[in-house]
Amino acid sequence: MSDHGSSAKAILYAFIANLGIALAKLGAALYTHSGSMLAESIHSFADCGNQVLLFVGLRQAQKPPDAKHPLGYGKVTYFWSFVVALLLFSMGGVFSIYEGWHKLGGHAGELNKPWVALAVLGVSIALEFGSLLGCLKEVTKLRGDRSFGYWLRNTRNAELVVVLGEDVAALIGLAIAFVFVALATVTGNLAFDAIGSIAIGIVLVCVSIFVAVRIKGLIVGRSAEEDLQEALRAEVDSDPNIDALLNAITLQMGPDVMLALKVKMCAGLSLDDAVAALNALERRIKTKFPEVTWIFVEPDVAD
């Protein structure tokens, strides 16, 4: 399955889950006056907006190349993913910390039927876990035989990294909210509810920083994944008309890859034969590696 298809499915799973969760949390927050629940509802609404932005980026990345963008629009997905990381930091993390700090300052009201909040949080955990499983399913399709840790460190798929980060942060946040609302209910000490809101905010800030750092490298420009680079080098080295591969540069452009080669042609080849050999190599690479959209070859003819 293509990166686009997997990313779109993961975004859809997350959006459906977060929209239902956000509405349920907001209703429970207004009814129970829980700061942790309000922080969680804001987080979920922010996540819904984030998924919309990710989908917009995914669609824009599919626009064909034009005169002003000759290598296409693939990297626009990195921009929107970085925007999502900033929103997760500000609307999610910072707001949750502020809300908790505000409640700790003596502005907390009485919790109204906190069991309602606990029930909503329990259902939300189940829905968010389903969203996470959907995201992991798409990750598994893309990572193949590679370990999950390897994929997470090396993947160039910004959308899946963001959705995965949001899902993990949401599950941790829900668990924290459940524990601290329960503590506030059992002990009657509303400080626990405020502390829960602060803890949720800290989790969101940490996740957003991790996501932003991962995407920063993609925005600046990163090579293709290592296994693809090795396979491309092996393909070039196997060509009987090429004496040596002098240099190979790859650049990840969203889901697509640009490949630039400098090769030394075998001695005795005429100019026409060398051109035909390189054209055949380009066709072979694009057939075997459809993610390689652009190929530029600089030949060095042997003496």
Side-chain angles (χ1 to χ4, degrees), residues 233 236 244-250 259-264 296 298:
R233 290 192 181 97
V236 176
L245 173 60
L246 302 178
N247 195 14
I249 297 175
T250 60
L259 171 65
L261 300 170
K262 184 172 184 179
V263 297
K264 183 177 182 181
F296 305 97
E298 179 184 351

Side-chain angles (χ1 to χ4, degrees), residues 95-157:
F95 177 83
S96 296
I97 293 172
Y98 167 78
E99 177 66 18
W101 187 262
H102 181 71
K103 291 290 179 68
L104 275 180
H107 300 282
E110 293 293 328
L111 291 180
N112 179 33
K113 296 182 180 179
W115 61 267
V116 173
L118 293 174
V120 170
L121 286 170
V123 173
S124 298
I125 289 173
L127 290 174
E128 197 66 60
F129 187 70
S131 174
L132 178 61
L133 288 179
C135 180
L136 290 175
K137 179 182 177 182
E138 301 308 317
V139 169
T140 300
K141 291 178 183 178
L142 293 179
R143 70 182 177 86
D145 296 331
R146 297 171 296 177
S147 69
F148 177 79
Y150 177 90
W151 177 87
L152 186 61
R153 291 191 303 272
N154 295 280
T155 183
R156 275 43 168 176
N157 191 306

Side-chain angles (χ1 to χ4, degrees), residues 207-243:
V207 170
S208 65
I209 291 174
F210 168 78
V211 171
V213 170
R214 287 287 289 109
I215 295 173
K216 183 202 73 172
L218 295 171
I219 293 176
V220 172
R222 291 193 68 180
S223 60
E225 295 183 14
E226 292 180 7
D227 54 349
L228 176 59
Q229 293 185 60
E230 292 174 1
L232 289 170
R233 290 192 181 97
E235 185 66 32
V236 176
D237 287 335
S238 67
D239 193 307
N241 297 298
I242 294 178
D243 183 58

